[in-house]
Amino acid sequence: MASKPLQGVRILDLTRLLPGPVATLHLADLGADVIKIEDHGAGDYARTMGDGPEGVSVFYRAVNRNKRGLRLDLKNPEGAALFRRLAAEADVVIESFRPGVMDKLGVGYEALRSLNPRLVFCAITGYGQSGPLALAAGHDLNYIGYAGILDQIGVDGGQPAIPNLQIGDLLGGAMSAVMGTLAALFDARRSGQGRFVDVSMSDAALAHNLFPLFALQGGAGVAERGRDMLSGGDAGYGVYATADGRYMAVAPLERKFWDLFCDTLGKPRWKARHGASGAEARAMRAELETLFVSQPQSYWTEKFARVDCCVTPVLTVAEALAHPHFQARGMGFQADGITQYGPPVRLSDMPAEPVRPAPAPGEHGQAILAEFGVTAEEWQRLQNLGVV
């Protein structure tokens, strides 16, 4: 059986909380040796954000599996020197400090690439390394607010709705970092030259806010919240309440699906209303609301179970994990005392291996540093100085 595709790639991970750790989670799952480096203070405070076995949160355990742990004080000159020693042999450094912090510590990109020209250095920030907002603080809500995404989320006449999927953090910070790191790593292996990967969570969110961009350049302009075709303007794409307070996701957008949808409901006269807009769409939506609220979700789920027209139940997370499809795909499994999600990308011939639990602070420190030539005596000296 083939090895994992990133086997042999060594990553120094200085990130914490959500975007960076999820990026390195995906890279670790693909076989990279991810060394999670934390300070001697709070370290990654995701550990205490929420409940979990033995006082370590589910949050921390789930996004830091398959990594090894090292403690290192980068503010100590000896700690910075040791980090440079590690970076000289590493393939990738991933960090999520504000711009300039790594330079001040003496471990920025320019300092490290002079030691290791093939090094890929990925910096994840809210607003990027340049621009008026580069040094501003922010969270996911701020990033999607600036990117014009939050303005479009919600129902007609309502205020913007806060999504519980962190679009800026995950689409922007995590997945863009994975993409940029892999692209730069590929080129480094080919050319011998690494790159600085500037990941801006707000940039990445904006770059994927596509339909409002398309509409902005059309005659009608961007629709108000809840009135775009996919957010309420088309009755054939929406969420409809059922009699038991649950919901159905109804999305027969294409004509072939709409016709089948109408036939299944015994409403052939509705076929002519496909793609209706404006007042006609609102009238169609009102009729669909009346129809769907007349029966419980289980009724509609069963009715459309064998009809291929994009009508499905809205599930809770627990129901999704228990669903036969995700069960068959192995998307939920038990490891490190919690339920975890399976990797989102499946590669052929990739061996399944036991999951390494998320590391305790500095758990693998001595073993890691021994791989970089640090002797037992040097380890003890560094420990006494509070460097590791």
Side-chain angles (χ1 to χ4, degrees):
M1 182 175 286
S3 62
K4 291 191 174 184
L6 295 184
Q7 185 171 320
V9 173
R10 180 167 279 168
I11 298 173
L12 305 180
D13 177 12
L14 292 167
T15 67
R16 58 183 64 175
L17 291 176
L18 186 64
V22 170
T24 54
L25 164 70
H26 293 317
L27 296 169
D29 282 348
L30 291 170
D33 176 21
V34 175
I35 299 173
K36 184 176 181 67
I37 300 175
E38 301 175 78
D39 59 45
H40 284 267
D44 188 345
Y45 26 91
R47 276 191 183 84
T48 57
M49 295 182 70
D51 297 327
E54 301 175 356
V56 179
S57 72
V58 172
F59 174 8
Y60 176 81
R61 290 172 183 268
V63 302
N64 287 287
R65 68 174 180 239
N66 292 333
K67 304 174 188 179
R68 298 194 289 166
L70 169 67
R71 271 182 163 169
L72 190 58
D73 181 6
L74 292 178
K75 293 181 180 179
N76 184 308
E78 289 218 37
L82 183 56
F83 184 81
R84 289 191 291 271
R85 185 169 163 184
L86 302 183
E89 297 183 34
D91 298 288
V92 179
V93 168
I94 300 183
E95 55 98 355
S96 57
F97 299 115
R98 295 198 206 193
V101 169
M102 292 287 282
D103 291 325
K104 290 178 182 177
L105 294 171
V107 290
Y109 176 58
E110 294 300 330
L112 298 183
R113 78 165 178 170
S114 67
L115 304 172
N116 182 358
R118 61 180 175 80
L119 182 71
V120 172
F121 189 110
C122 178
I124 304 170
T125 59
Y127 302 107
Q129 298 295 308
S130 60
L133 293 174
L135 296 177
H139 285 298
D140 185 82
L141 198 64
N142 307 115
Y143 310 143
I144 65 173
Y146 265 122
I149 294 173
L150 191 58
D151 175 69
Q152 290 284 299
I153 301 176
V155 298
D156 186 8
Q159 69 179 41
I162 303 174
N164 200 24
L165 170 65
Q166 290 69 43
I167 299 169
D169 286 351
L170 298 173
L171 171 65
M175 298 312 295
S176 295
V178 170
M179 177 178 68
T181 296
L182 291 178
L185 186 61
F186 174 82
D187 187 52
R189 291 294 173 94
R190 179 176 58 183
S191 69
Q193 295 298 313
R195 293 175 186 257
F196 184 89
V197 181
D198 177 4
V199 174
S200 160
M201 289 184 264
S202 51
D203 283 2
L206 178 61
H208 290 88
N209 193 16
L210 292 171
F211 279 89
L213 175 67
F214 306 155
L216 183 66
Q217 298 166 87
V222 179
E224 293 182 23
R225 180 169 44 260
R227 295 187 182 183
D228 183 72
M229 180 181 76
L230 299 183
S231 64
D234 190 325
Y237 196 88
V239 175
Y240 290 91
T242 58
D244 52 350
R246 302 297 301 277
Y247 297 89
M248 296 296 291
V250 178
L253 271 178
E254 294 86 349
R255 184 61 187 253
K256 62 180 180 179
F257 294 141
W258 178 257
D259 287 351
L260 188 54
F261 172 70
C262 295
D263 287 338
T264 303
L265 293 175
K267 303 285 188 179
R269 68 182 186 279
W270 283 358
K271 292 181 180 181
R273 300 166 75 178
H274 173 258
S277 60
E280 187 177 355
R282 289 191 289 274
M284 181 75 256
R285 182 173 293 276
E287 292 183 58
L288 285 171
E289 287 172 346
T290 299
L291 179 62
F292 275 98
V293 82
S294 68
Q295 297 288 346
Q297 186 191 63
S298 58
Y299 171 87
W300 297 115
T301 299
E302 176 62 26
K303 190 172 189 67
F304 285 97
R306 286 168 291 280
V307 182
D308 192 27
C309 69
C310 311
V311 178
T312 55
V314 175
L315 302 181
T316 66
V317 174
E319 289 169 336
L321 285 168
H323 193 279
H325 177 77
F326 293 122
Q327 288 276 314
R329 296 284 296 171
M331 281 306 298
F333 66 94
Q334 296 295 312
D336 197 12
I338 64 170
T339 299
Q340 303 201 31
Y341 286 136
V345 177
R346 308 299 169 88
L347 302 181
S348 61
D349 298 322
M350 193 166 84
E353 297 176 355
V355 171
R356 175 188 284 137
E363 179 180 349
H364 309 96
Q366 186 169 9
I368 290 169
L369 292 183
E371 296 169 11
F372 289 88
V374 174
T375 65
E377 292 77 16
E378 188 177 3
W379 164 261
Q380 188 61 58
R381 183 181 70 83
L382 293 169
Q383 266 203 321
N384 292 341
L385 292 172
V387 172
V388 297

